[in-house]
Amino acid sequence: FLAGADRAKFAPEVPAGASLRDALSVLLASGASTAAVVAEGGEALGSVTIEAIRERAVSPAQPDSVS
């Protein structure tokens, strides 16, 4: 994981609990294929990718959020 300002240089951020639709919008708007998932205080929790969202769309039995 990248921390703080270094993370922001490379990947857009999506708040934990955001919908996959919102995460996809962030990714498409930024042109990135990966976004950092961050807690309310800015702590990096993980990442979400366009491919993971695509897979989730094919198997909708999964929760519809990035947390």
Side-chain angles (χ1 to χ4, degrees):
F1 288 108
L2 296 172
D6 289 334
R7 182 178 70 233
K9 291 179 192 175
F10 298 101
E13 294 185 355
V14 177
S19 70
L20 293 177
R21 181 176 298 208
D22 289 343
L24 180 59
S25 292
V26 168
L27 289 168
L28 293 175
S30 69
S33 60
T34 303
V37 178
V38 297
E40 198 170 301
E43 173 189 3
L45 301 175
S47 62
V48 62
T49 65
I50 288 178
E51 184 59 33
I53 294 171
R54 182 180 296 126
E55 289 174 13
R56 189 66 55 94
V58 173
S59 300
Q62 304 289 334
D64 186 29
S65 71
V66 295
S67 58

